[in-house]
Amino acid sequence: MKIITILGLISKNEEIGIPIYRYDDKLKGSFSLKRERYINMFSLLIDNFGAQDIVPIFTQLAKKIQIGVLKEEFQNEYNEIFNDRNFIDGEKDFYKILRIINDATSDDDKYIIDLTHGFRHIPILATISLISKSLSNTEKIKHIFFAKEIEPKKEYEIIDLKEYLELANMSYVLETFNHNYTVSLVSKFKNKNFCNLVSRLSTISNHILSNSLKALNKDVDKILSDIDFILKNEQIETFKGSLEDIQRHIRELQEIGKEKDSIKFYRMSRILNSKGYLLNAITLLFEAIGYYCAESFECFGDDIKAHINNFKNSRKFNAYDLTHESRTIVKKMGLRNGAYLTSIAVHDNIQKKLESIKTLGAFRDFIKDAEKLRNNLAHGNANERIEDSKQELSRLLDKYNSFCIQQNILGNKI
Protein backbone atom coordinates (compact mmCIF):
# COMPACT_ATOMS: atom_id res chain seq x y z
CA MET A 1 0.00 0.00 0.00
CA LYS A 2 1.36 3.42 -0.96
CA ILE A 3 1.47 6.36 1.41
CA ILE A 4 1.13 9.58 -0.56
CA THR A 5 2.07 12.71 1.33
CA ILE A 6 2.20 16.34 0.26
CA LEU A 7 5.26 17.92 1.79
CA GLY A 8 5.16 21.25 3.59
CA LEU A 9 7.71 23.54 5.19
CA ILE A 10 7.48 22.45 8.83
CA SER A 11 10.80 21.69 10.50
CA LYS A 12 11.98 21.40 14.09
CA ASN A 13 11.09 24.29 16.36
CA GLU A 14 14.03 24.75 18.74
CA GLU A 15 12.01 26.73 21.28
CA ILE A 16 9.02 24.34 21.49
CA GLY A 17 10.80 21.08 20.80
CA ILE A 18 9.49 17.91 19.16
CA PRO A 19 5.66 17.62 19.19
CA ILE A 20 3.56 14.66 20.30
CA TYR A 21 1.50 12.67 17.79
CA ARG A 22 -1.22 10.09 18.39
CA TYR A 23 -3.98 8.39 16.41
CA ASP A 24 -7.58 9.16 17.29
CA ASP A 25 -9.85 6.46 18.72
CA LYS A 26 -11.05 5.34 15.29
CA LEU A 27 -7.56 4.87 13.84
CA LYS A 28 -5.76 3.44 16.86
CA GLY A 29 -7.57 0.14 16.35
CA SER A 30 -5.79 -0.25 12.99
CA PHE A 31 -2.50 1.59 13.50
CA SER A 32 0.08 2.17 16.21
CA LEU A 33 3.13 4.42 16.48
CA LYS A 34 6.65 3.31 17.33
CA ARG A 35 7.02 6.39 19.49
CA GLU A 36 4.96 9.47 20.26
CA ARG A 37 7.33 12.31 19.29
CA TYR A 38 8.24 13.19 15.70
CA ILE A 39 9.50 16.42 14.14
CA ASN A 40 6.61 16.31 11.66
CA MET A 41 4.16 14.01 9.91
CA PHE A 42 6.62 13.14 7.12
CA SER A 43 9.15 11.61 9.49
CA LEU A 44 6.32 9.81 11.33
CA LEU A 45 5.15 8.17 8.09
CA ILE A 46 8.62 7.04 7.10
CA ASP A 47 9.32 5.54 10.53
CA ASN A 48 6.00 3.71 10.81
CA PHE A 49 5.24 2.66 7.22
CA GLY A 50 8.69 2.31 5.70
CA ALA A 51 10.41 4.62 3.23
CA GLN A 52 9.86 2.19 0.33
CA ASP A 53 6.09 2.84 0.42
CA ILE A 54 6.23 6.64 0.82
CA VAL A 55 5.42 8.80 -2.22
CA PRO A 56 6.13 12.48 -1.45
CA ILE A 57 4.73 15.24 -3.65
CA PHE A 58 6.99 18.23 -3.21
CA THR A 59 8.24 21.65 -4.24
CA GLN A 60 11.97 22.36 -4.36
CA LEU A 61 11.86 24.28 -1.07
CA ALA A 62 9.76 21.62 0.68
CA LYS A 63 12.21 18.91 -0.43
CA LYS A 64 15.19 20.87 0.87
CA ILE A 65 13.60 21.46 4.26
CA GLN A 66 12.35 17.89 4.66
CA ILE A 67 15.68 16.34 3.71
CA GLY A 68 17.11 18.38 6.58
CA VAL A 69 14.40 17.04 8.90
CA LEU A 70 15.10 13.42 7.88
CA LYS A 71 18.83 13.86 8.26
CA GLU A 72 18.35 15.22 11.78
CA GLU A 73 15.81 12.60 12.84
CA PHE A 74 17.15 9.46 11.12
CA GLN A 75 20.64 10.45 9.92
CA ASN A 76 19.42 9.53 6.45
CA GLU A 77 18.28 11.89 3.67
CA TYR A 78 16.20 9.21 1.85
CA ASN A 79 16.96 10.83 -1.51
CA GLU A 80 15.71 7.74 -3.33
CA ILE A 81 12.04 8.44 -2.47
CA PHE A 82 12.01 11.84 -4.15
CA ASN A 83 10.85 11.03 -7.68
CA ASP A 84 11.03 13.83 -10.26
CA ARG A 85 7.56 12.95 -11.59
CA ASN A 86 6.14 14.12 -8.24
CA PHE A 87 8.07 17.41 -8.32
CA ILE A 88 5.97 20.59 -8.44
CA ASP A 89 8.04 23.17 -10.31
CA GLY A 90 5.26 25.73 -10.70
CA GLU A 91 3.16 26.38 -7.60
CA LYS A 92 0.68 28.52 -9.55
CA ASP A 93 0.09 25.96 -12.31
CA PHE A 94 -3.01 24.36 -10.77
CA TYR A 95 -3.67 22.05 -13.71
CA LYS A 96 -0.15 20.65 -13.58
CA ILE A 97 -0.41 20.12 -9.82
CA LEU A 98 -3.70 18.27 -10.32
CA ARG A 99 -2.06 16.09 -12.98
CA ILE A 100 0.82 15.21 -10.63
CA ILE A 101 -1.62 14.29 -7.84
CA ASN A 102 -3.82 12.32 -10.24
CA ASP A 103 -0.82 10.42 -11.63
CA ALA A 104 0.35 9.53 -8.11
CA THR A 105 -3.07 8.02 -7.31
CA SER A 106 -3.93 6.54 -10.71
CA ASP A 107 -2.38 3.07 -10.61
CA ASP A 108 -3.98 -0.06 -9.15
CA ASP A 109 -2.39 0.23 -5.70
CA LYS A 110 -4.44 1.02 -2.64
CA TYR A 111 -3.18 4.06 -0.84
CA ILE A 112 -3.32 6.36 2.16
CA ILE A 113 -2.96 10.05 1.43
CA ASP A 114 -1.69 12.50 4.03
CA LEU A 115 -2.88 16.12 3.74
CA THR A 116 -1.37 17.42 6.97
CA HIS A 117 1.43 19.73 5.88
CA GLY A 118 0.75 20.52 2.25
CA PHE A 119 1.66 23.97 1.00
CA ARG A 120 -1.34 26.40 0.86
CA HIS A 121 -3.60 25.46 -2.08
CA ILE A 122 -2.05 22.06 -2.83
CA PRO A 123 -4.11 20.09 -0.22
CA ILE A 124 -7.26 21.70 -1.66
CA LEU A 125 -6.32 20.51 -5.14
CA ALA A 126 -5.57 17.07 -3.70
CA THR A 127 -9.02 17.00 -2.11
CA ILE A 128 -10.63 17.87 -5.46
CA SER A 129 -8.69 15.02 -7.05
CA LEU A 130 -9.77 12.59 -4.32
CA ILE A 131 -13.43 13.55 -4.66
CA SER A 132 -13.37 13.01 -8.43
CA LYS A 133 -11.60 9.65 -8.07
CA SER A 134 -13.79 8.45 -5.24
CA LEU A 135 -16.92 8.78 -7.36
CA SER A 136 -15.77 5.71 -9.29
CA ASN A 137 -13.64 3.86 -6.74
CA THR A 138 -13.46 4.55 -3.02
CA GLU A 139 -11.92 1.12 -2.38
CA LYS A 140 -8.48 2.36 -3.47
CA ILE A 141 -8.52 5.19 -0.93
CA LYS A 142 -8.04 3.46 2.40
CA HIS A 143 -7.53 6.53 4.58
CA ILE A 144 -7.00 10.29 4.34
CA PHE A 145 -4.70 11.25 7.20
CA PHE A 146 -4.71 14.70 8.73
CA ALA A 147 -2.86 15.67 11.89
CA LYS A 148 -5.30 17.86 13.77
CA GLU A 149 -3.65 20.40 16.04
CA ILE A 150 -4.62 19.84 19.69
CA GLU A 151 -2.10 22.24 21.21
CA PRO A 152 -0.39 24.60 18.74
CA LYS A 153 2.89 23.12 17.52
CA LYS A 154 3.03 20.81 20.55
CA GLU A 155 0.40 18.09 20.20
CA TYR A 156 -1.40 16.55 17.21
CA GLU A 157 -4.13 13.93 16.78
CA ILE A 158 -4.13 12.00 13.50
CA ILE A 159 -7.67 11.68 12.16
CA ASP A 160 -9.16 10.08 9.04
CA LEU A 161 -10.97 12.42 6.65
CA LYS A 162 -12.32 9.63 4.46
CA GLU A 163 -15.71 9.76 6.16
CA TYR A 164 -15.99 13.37 4.96
CA LEU A 165 -15.20 12.17 1.44
CA GLU A 166 -18.16 9.80 1.78
CA LEU A 167 -20.31 12.75 2.83
CA ALA A 168 -19.25 14.64 -0.30
CA ASN A 169 -20.04 11.60 -2.45
CA MET A 170 -23.40 11.11 -0.78
CA SER A 171 -24.25 14.75 -1.40
CA TYR A 172 -23.42 14.27 -5.09
CA VAL A 173 -25.61 11.14 -5.30
CA LEU A 174 -28.56 12.94 -3.73
CA GLU A 175 -28.24 16.00 -5.96
CA THR A 176 -28.14 13.93 -9.16
CA PHE A 177 -31.18 11.93 -8.04
CA ASN A 178 -33.06 15.12 -7.20
CA HIS A 179 -32.19 16.60 -10.57
CA ASN A 180 -32.98 13.74 -12.95
CA TYR A 181 -33.74 10.50 -11.06
CA THR A 182 -30.34 9.03 -11.92
CA VAL A 183 -28.04 7.51 -9.31
CA SER A 184 -24.37 8.20 -9.98
CA LEU A 185 -22.17 5.10 -10.10
CA VAL A 186 -20.14 5.71 -6.98
CA SER A 187 -18.34 2.90 -5.24
CA LYS A 188 -19.66 1.27 -2.10
CA PHE A 189 -19.86 3.38 1.02
CA LYS A 190 -18.40 2.24 4.32
CA ASN A 191 -21.48 3.63 6.03
CA LYS A 192 -24.09 0.86 5.76
CA ASN A 193 -26.97 3.32 6.01
CA PHE A 194 -25.60 5.21 3.01
CA CYS A 195 -25.24 1.92 1.13
CA ASN A 196 -28.86 0.98 1.83
CA LEU A 197 -30.14 4.40 0.77
CA VAL A 198 -28.16 4.45 -2.50
CA SER A 199 -29.31 0.91 -3.29
CA ARG A 200 -32.97 1.83 -2.78
CA LEU A 201 -32.60 5.09 -4.72
CA SER A 202 -31.15 3.05 -7.57
CA THR A 203 -34.11 0.67 -7.43
CA ILE A 204 -36.61 3.54 -7.45
CA SER A 205 -34.71 5.17 -10.31
CA ASN A 206 -35.02 1.96 -12.33
CA HIS A 207 -38.75 1.73 -11.61
CA ILE A 208 -39.43 5.34 -12.57
CA LEU A 209 -37.30 5.42 -15.71
CA SER A 210 -38.75 2.12 -16.92
CA ASN A 211 -42.30 3.38 -16.18
CA SER A 212 -42.85 0.52 -13.69
CA LEU A 213 -45.15 2.50 -11.47
CA LYS A 214 -46.81 -0.45 -9.76
CA ALA A 215 -43.40 -1.82 -8.71
CA LEU A 216 -42.50 1.64 -7.41
CA ASN A 217 -45.14 1.44 -4.68
CA LYS A 218 -43.33 -1.43 -2.97
CA ASP A 219 -40.16 0.55 -2.22
CA VAL A 220 -41.25 4.02 -1.13
CA ASP A 221 -42.01 3.01 2.48
CA LYS A 222 -38.56 1.44 2.89
CA ILE A 223 -36.72 4.43 1.51
CA LEU A 224 -38.64 6.83 3.77
CA SER A 225 -37.59 4.71 6.72
CA ASP A 226 -33.95 4.86 5.58
CA ILE A 227 -34.10 8.63 5.20
CA ASP A 228 -35.70 9.12 8.64
CA PHE A 229 -32.87 7.11 10.20
CA ILE A 230 -30.09 8.99 8.39
CA LEU A 231 -31.59 12.38 9.25
CA LYS A 232 -30.96 11.59 12.93
CA ASN A 233 -27.21 11.55 12.21
CA GLU A 234 -25.59 14.92 13.01
CA GLN A 235 -22.86 14.32 10.40
CA ILE A 236 -25.26 14.67 7.45
CA GLU A 237 -25.70 18.43 7.84
CA THR A 238 -23.78 18.97 4.57
CA PHE A 239 -26.49 17.25 2.53
CA LYS A 240 -29.47 17.52 4.86
CA GLY A 241 -31.28 19.85 2.43
CA SER A 242 -30.92 17.41 -0.47
CA LEU A 243 -32.08 14.53 1.70
CA GLU A 244 -35.14 16.45 2.86
CA ASP A 245 -35.96 17.34 -0.77
CA ILE A 246 -35.89 13.64 -1.65
CA GLN A 247 -37.97 12.82 1.42
CA ARG A 248 -40.66 15.28 0.34
CA HIS A 249 -40.65 13.94 -3.20
CA ILE A 250 -40.79 10.29 -2.11
CA ARG A 251 -43.81 11.18 0.02
CA GLU A 252 -45.33 12.77 -3.06
CA LEU A 253 -44.70 9.53 -4.98
CA GLN A 254 -46.26 7.63 -2.09
CA GLU A 255 -49.42 9.72 -2.41
CA ILE A 256 -49.43 9.33 -6.19
CA GLY A 257 -49.25 5.56 -5.69
CA LYS A 258 -52.59 5.67 -3.86
CA GLU A 259 -54.37 7.36 -6.76
CA LYS A 260 -56.45 5.52 -9.35
CA ASP A 261 -54.40 4.50 -12.36
CA SER A 262 -55.58 7.27 -14.68
CA ILE A 263 -54.47 9.96 -12.22
CA LYS A 264 -51.32 8.10 -11.13
CA PHE A 265 -50.00 7.83 -14.69
CA TYR A 266 -50.95 11.42 -15.48
CA ARG A 267 -49.18 12.87 -12.43
CA MET A 268 -46.05 10.83 -13.09
CA SER A 269 -46.12 11.99 -16.70
CA ARG A 270 -46.06 15.60 -15.51
CA ILE A 271 -43.11 14.89 -13.20
CA LEU A 272 -41.07 13.13 -15.87
CA ASN A 273 -41.83 15.87 -18.36
CA SER A 274 -40.48 18.45 -15.90
CA LYS A 275 -37.22 16.47 -15.66
CA GLY A 276 -36.82 16.24 -19.43
CA TYR A 277 -37.78 12.58 -20.00
CA LEU A 278 -40.11 13.26 -22.91
CA LEU A 279 -40.52 9.70 -24.19
CA ASN A 280 -41.24 8.38 -20.70
CA ALA A 281 -43.68 11.22 -20.10
CA ILE A 282 -45.69 10.81 -23.31
CA THR A 283 -45.77 7.02 -22.81
CA LEU A 284 -47.27 7.49 -19.35
CA LEU A 285 -49.71 10.11 -20.61
CA PHE A 286 -50.86 7.76 -23.36
CA GLU A 287 -51.39 5.03 -20.76
CA ALA A 288 -53.25 7.49 -18.53
CA ILE A 289 -55.68 8.12 -21.40
CA GLY A 290 -56.22 4.36 -21.78
CA TYR A 291 -56.85 3.91 -18.05
CA TYR A 292 -59.23 6.87 -18.04
CA CYS A 293 -61.26 5.30 -20.85
CA ALA A 294 -61.33 1.87 -19.18
CA GLU A 295 -62.29 3.30 -15.79
CA SER A 296 -65.03 5.35 -17.44
CA PHE A 297 -66.45 2.31 -19.24
CA GLU A 298 -66.97 0.66 -15.86
CA CYS A 299 -69.24 3.59 -14.99
CA PHE A 300 -71.37 3.12 -18.13
CA GLY A 301 -73.44 0.32 -16.58
CA ASP A 302 -73.34 -2.71 -14.27
CA ASP A 303 -73.15 -5.17 -17.16
CA ILE A 304 -70.10 -3.44 -18.60
CA LYS A 305 -68.44 -3.21 -15.19
CA ALA A 306 -69.04 -6.93 -14.56
CA HIS A 307 -67.65 -7.81 -17.98
CA ILE A 308 -64.47 -5.78 -17.41
CA ASN A 309 -64.01 -7.24 -13.92
CA ASN A 310 -64.34 -10.75 -15.35
CA PHE A 311 -61.60 -9.92 -17.83
CA LYS A 312 -59.38 -8.52 -15.05
CA ASN A 313 -59.79 -11.78 -13.13
CA SER A 314 -59.14 -14.02 -16.12
CA ARG A 315 -55.84 -15.69 -16.99
CA LYS A 316 -55.55 -13.83 -20.28
CA PHE A 317 -55.77 -10.40 -18.62
CA ASN A 318 -53.03 -7.83 -19.07
CA ALA A 319 -53.26 -4.10 -18.51
CA TYR A 320 -51.97 -3.27 -21.98
CA ASP A 321 -54.93 -4.94 -23.69
CA LEU A 322 -57.35 -3.18 -21.36
CA THR A 323 -55.93 0.30 -21.92
CA HIS A 324 -55.17 -0.15 -25.63
CA GLU A 325 -58.62 -1.43 -26.54
CA SER A 326 -60.46 1.09 -24.36
CA ARG A 327 -58.53 3.98 -25.86
CA THR A 328 -59.00 2.65 -29.40
CA ILE A 329 -62.76 2.27 -28.96
CA VAL A 330 -63.02 5.95 -28.07
CA LYS A 331 -60.64 7.02 -30.83
CA LYS A 332 -62.28 4.97 -33.61
CA MET A 333 -65.77 4.64 -32.15
CA GLY A 334 -65.57 0.90 -32.55
CA LEU A 335 -63.33 -2.16 -32.06
CA ARG A 336 -64.83 -5.60 -32.66
CA ASN A 337 -61.85 -7.93 -32.20
CA GLY A 338 -60.41 -7.21 -28.78
CA ALA A 339 -59.05 -9.38 -25.99
CA TYR A 340 -61.62 -8.29 -23.43
CA LEU A 341 -64.53 -6.82 -25.39
CA THR A 342 -65.68 -10.19 -26.69
CA SER A 343 -69.33 -9.47 -25.93
CA ILE A 344 -71.08 -7.72 -28.82
CA ALA A 345 -73.78 -6.49 -26.44
CA VAL A 346 -71.23 -4.91 -24.10
CA HIS A 347 -69.40 -3.35 -27.02
CA ASP A 348 -72.62 -1.91 -28.45
CA ASN A 349 -73.65 -0.49 -25.09
CA ILE A 350 -70.27 1.28 -24.79
CA GLN A 351 -70.57 2.66 -28.30
CA LYS A 352 -74.11 3.96 -27.67
CA LYS A 353 -72.92 5.76 -24.55
CA LEU A 354 -70.01 7.32 -26.42
CA GLU A 355 -72.26 8.47 -29.27
CA SER A 356 -74.41 10.32 -26.74
CA ILE A 357 -71.48 12.55 -25.73
CA LYS A 358 -71.77 15.54 -28.04
CA THR A 359 -68.29 16.98 -27.38
CA LEU A 360 -66.47 13.67 -27.86
CA GLY A 361 -64.89 14.76 -31.17
CA ALA A 362 -62.39 17.11 -29.48
CA PHE A 363 -61.41 14.37 -27.03
CA ARG A 364 -60.85 11.90 -29.87
CA ASP A 365 -58.62 14.47 -31.62
CA PHE A 366 -56.68 14.81 -28.38
CA ILE A 367 -56.08 11.04 -28.29
CA LYS A 368 -54.84 11.10 -31.88
CA ASP A 369 -52.48 14.01 -31.12
CA ALA A 370 -51.06 12.17 -28.11
CA GLU A 371 -50.55 9.02 -30.17
CA LYS A 372 -48.83 11.00 -32.92
CA LEU A 373 -46.36 12.57 -30.46
CA ARG A 374 -45.69 9.23 -28.76
CA ASN A 375 -44.94 7.56 -32.12
CA ASN A 376 -42.76 10.45 -33.19
CA LEU A 377 -40.66 10.38 -30.02
CA ALA A 378 -40.47 6.58 -30.02
CA HIS A 379 -39.03 6.62 -33.54
CA GLY A 380 -36.21 9.08 -33.08
CA ASN A 381 -38.18 12.33 -33.18
CA ALA A 382 -37.53 12.56 -36.91
CA ASN A 383 -40.25 15.09 -37.70
CA GLU A 384 -39.95 17.77 -35.02
CA ARG A 385 -37.37 19.65 -33.00
CA ILE A 386 -37.07 18.69 -29.32
CA GLU A 387 -38.27 22.13 -28.24
CA ASP A 388 -41.42 21.69 -30.32
CA SER A 389 -42.00 18.30 -28.69
CA LYS A 390 -41.63 19.80 -25.21
CA GLN A 391 -44.22 22.43 -25.98
CA GLU A 392 -46.56 19.88 -27.54
CA LEU A 393 -46.25 17.55 -24.56
CA SER A 394 -47.00 20.35 -22.11
CA ARG A 395 -50.03 21.27 -24.21
CA LEU A 396 -51.26 17.65 -24.18
CA LEU A 397 -50.82 17.39 -20.41
CA ASP A 398 -52.95 20.50 -20.00
CA LYS A 399 -55.57 19.03 -22.32
CA TYR A 400 -55.66 15.79 -20.30
CA ASN A 401 -56.25 17.84 -17.17
CA SER A 402 -59.08 19.69 -18.93
CA PHE A 403 -60.77 16.70 -20.60
CA CYS A 404 -60.26 13.95 -18.02
CA ILE A 405 -60.12 15.74 -14.69
CA GLN A 406 -61.92 19.07 -14.87
CA GLN A 407 -64.59 18.19 -17.48
CA ASN A 408 -64.44 14.41 -16.85
CA ILE A 409 -65.83 14.07 -20.35
CA LEU A 410 -66.55 10.31 -20.12
CA GLY A 411 -68.01 10.45 -16.60
CA ASN A 412 -65.33 8.50 -14.74
CA LYS A 413 -66.58 8.12 -11.15
CA ILE A 414 -64.15 5.45 -9.94
Side-chain angles (χ1 to χ4, degrees):
M1 182 165 60
K2 295 193 304 185
I3 314 296
I4 299 168
T5 183
I6 301 170
L7 299 190
L9 307 178
I10 294 178
S11 58
K12 184 177 178 180
N13 188 313
E14 297 295 340
E15 294 182 5
I16 296 177
I18 299 176
I20 294 173
Y21 286 85
R22 66 173 185 272
Y23 288 113
D24 72 354
D25 291 340
K26 293 181 180 179
L27 287 174
K28 67 174 53 173
S30 303
F31 301 99
S32 60
L33 296 174
K34 292 181 179 180
R35 61 177 193 261
E36 67 174 14
R37 292 187 181 272
Y38 290 93
I39 293 177
N40 63 22
M41 193 68 176
F42 186 41
S43 59
L44 179 152
L45 294 172
I46 287 179
D47 192 35
N48 289 276
F49 291 92
Q52 71 278 3
D53 293 322
I54 305 298
V55 180
I57 296 173
F58 56 93
T59 62
Q60 189 61 46
L61 180 58
K63 176 182 177 181
K64 180 180 179 181
I65 291 174
Q66 295 312 317
I67 283 178
V69 169
L70 297 177
K71 189 173 182 180
E72 178 177 354
E73 191 143 15
F74 304 118
Q75 294 74 54
N76 187 338
E77 295 183 355
Y78 291 103
N79 280 298
E80 69 277 8
I81 71 174
F82 293 93
N83 192 311
D84 286 344
R85 70 179 183 179
N86 300 318
F87 168 53
I88 298 172
D89 59 355
E91 296 170 12
K92 296 181 180 180
D93 189 345
F94 285 13
Y95 291 108
K96 187 172 183 180
I97 294 171
L98 269 174
R99 179 181 58 77
I100 291 171
I101 295 169
N102 286 339
D103 288 347
T105 58
S106 62
D107 58 26
D108 293 332
D109 289 342
K110 294 180 180 180
Y111 59 88
I112 294 171
I113 188 163
D114 168 50
L115 300 177
T116 301
H117 297 307
F119 183 63
R120 290 200 302 262
H121 53 276
I122 298 176
I124 297 174
L125 294 174
T127 303
I128 293 171
S129 175
L130 289 172
I131 290 173
S132 64
K133 285 182 177 297
S134 69
L135 291 175
S136 60
N137 189 358
T138 56
E139 293 301 308
K140 285 178 59 178
I141 308 170
K142 302 310 291 182
H143 301 282
I144 304 172
F145 284 170
F146 181 78
K148 183 174 68 174
E149 198 171 58
I150 304 301
E151 186 176 354
K153 300 182 180 180
K154 291 183 178 181
E155 185 178 351
Y156 295 89
E157 182 181 60
I158 303 170
I159 63 174
D160 188 359
L161 298 179
K162 187 178 177 182
E163 64 179 286
Y164 297 98
L165 191 63
E166 290 209 342
L167 293 177
N169 287 346
M170 192 64 197
S171 181
Y172 178 74
V173 169
L174 296 176
E175 281 301 314
T176 56
F177 183 85
N178 271 334
H179 181 66
N180 57 17
Y181 284 139
T182 58
V183 177
S184 56
L185 298 176
V186 298
S187 297
K188 289 183 178 180
F189 291 93
K190 269 190 174 182
N191 187 310
K192 291 182 179 179
N193 296 318
F194 291 178
C195 283
N196 290 338
L197 180 57
V198 171
S199 176
R200 291 209 167 96
L201 285 176
S202 181
T203 299
I204 283 184
S205 172
N206 290 336
H207 290 332
I208 292 173
L209 298 184
S210 63
N211 292 342
S212 302
L213 301 192
K214 294 187 185 296
L216 176 65
N217 297 337
K218 301 176 183 177
D219 294 287
V220 291
D221 291 339
K222 293 177 182 178
I223 201 168
L224 285 173
S225 177
D226 287 339
I227 291 173
D228 285 339
F229 187 82
I230 292 175
L231 282 171
K232 296 175 183 177
N233 185 345
E234 294 179 357
Q235 292 180 324
I236 58 87
E237 195 64 36
T238 53
F239 56 78
K240 184 178 180 181
S242 298
L243 198 55
E244 288 175 337
D245 286 343
I246 289 179
Q247 185 183 51
R248 281 190 291 271
H249 188 54
I250 296 298
R251 284 175 177 159
E252 181 185 7
L253 296 180
Q254 190 179 45
E255 290 305 310
I256 290 174
K258 298 175 183 177
E259 299 274 14
K260 57 187 177 183
D261 288 329
S262 60
I263 298 298
K264 181 193 307 178
F265 279 73
Y266 161 71
R267 290 182 64 183
M268 285 304 302
S269 176
R270 276 212 177 271
I271 289 172
L272 287 170
N273 180 49
S274 70
K275 295 184 181 293
Y277 293 108
L278 302 189
L279 179 57
N280 294 69
I282 187 59
T283 300
L284 290 179
L285 179 60
F286 204 53
E287 288 304 302
I289 296 169
Y291 277 113
Y292 174 74
C293 294
E295 291 166 3
S296 299
F297 290 173
E298 292 187 53
C299 302
F300 284 2
D302 292 341
D303 59 332
I304 298 172
K305 182 176 182 179
H307 185 81
I308 293 175
N309 285 335
N310 287 337
F311 174 61
K312 288 180 178 179
N313 295 325
S314 69
R315 290 184 178 181
K316 63 180 180 180
F317 171 75
N318 68 72
Y320 174 79
D321 286 337
L322 178 66
T323 58
H324 170 71
E325 292 176 29
S326 299
R327 187 175 50 239
T328 304
I329 287 172
V330 177
K331 183 182 70 172
K332 294 185 176 181
M333 291 296 286
L335 177 66
R336 291 290 182 183
N337 298 315
Y340 84 90
L341 285 174
T342 54
S343 169
I344 295 176
V346 167
H347 178 275
D348 289 344
N349 287 341
I350 291 174
Q351 189 161 342
K352 287 178 183 178
K353 176 66 176 178
L354 292 174
E355 289 172 350
S356 69
I357 302 173
K358 295 181 180 179
T359 57
L360 191 65
F363 183 60
R364 292 169 62 199
D365 290 340
F366 159 66
I367 296 175
K368 293 172 186 177
D369 288 344
E371 185 173 29
K372 178 183 176 182
L373 181 60
R374 188 206 60 171
N375 292 342
N376 191 33
L377 289 174
H379 294 90
N381 197 37
N383 298 325
E384 298 182 42
R385 295 184 303 116
I386 288 293
E387 288 304 317
D388 295 335
S389 297
K390 287 181 179 179
Q391 293 177 7
E392 176 66 6
L393 180 51
S394 295
R395 186 181 69 85
L396 291 172
L397 284 163
D398 289 341
K399 281 197 169 187
Y400 181 95
N401 181 56
S402 175
F403 281 125
C404 305
I405 298 175
Q406 294 180 2
Q407 297 179 43
N408 190 13
I409 191 169
L410 300 185
N412 182 356
K413 298 176 182 178
I414 291 179

